[in-house]
Amino acid sequence: MTLTKDEKLAAIQKQMLMVAVIDFPGTLLMAAGLYGLFAGFDAAAYPLLANPMLIFAMIGIGGCTMAWGLVKMLQLARAKQLLLSEQG
């Protein structure tokens, strides 16, 4: 059974949505890590987040997740563009 063009586009859109959902926590980690690095968290209110090692771990994990999301999204966008440019 072969998939139609619309079914393939729907599958790509679904994969893009899943990548965006998985990428979202990485974006939050990166943002919180950068905030902690440049502005700093209040040690009295957030003693765990005042730890520099945790801040660098947040930036690292968030950056890796965002990089993965970027690569996957570019691959899916290229597949979508190739599918849309096909004749027929």
Side-chain angles (χ1 to χ4, degrees):
M1 182 173 120
T2 177
L3 296 176
T4 66
K5 189 175 184 178
D6 289 335
E7 291 172 338
K8 290 178 184 177
L9 282 173
I12 290 173
Q13 281 298 120
K14 184 177 178 182
Q15 289 176 334
M16 289 176 107
L17 179 64
M18 288 307 299
V19 169
V21 167
I22 293 169
D23 185 48
F24 182 68
T27 305
L28 291 179
L29 276 174
M30 178 67 100
L34 289 175
Y35 176 81
L37 186 64
F38 292 112
F41 290 105
D42 184 21
Y46 306 107
L48 183 64
L49 294 177
N51 183 355
M53 289 300 289
L54 181 66
I55 290 173
F56 289 125
M58 288 168 62
I59 292 171
I61 293 169
C64 289
T65 306
M66 288 176 65
W68 171 84
L70 176 68
V71 169
K72 288 297 288 182
M73 200 61 85
L74 288 174
Q75 290 172 347
L76 290 169
R78 171 172 270 172
K80 182 178 178 181
Q81 189 62 35
L82 288 172
L83 187 62
L84 289 174
S85 66
E86 282 181 356
Q87 294 295 329

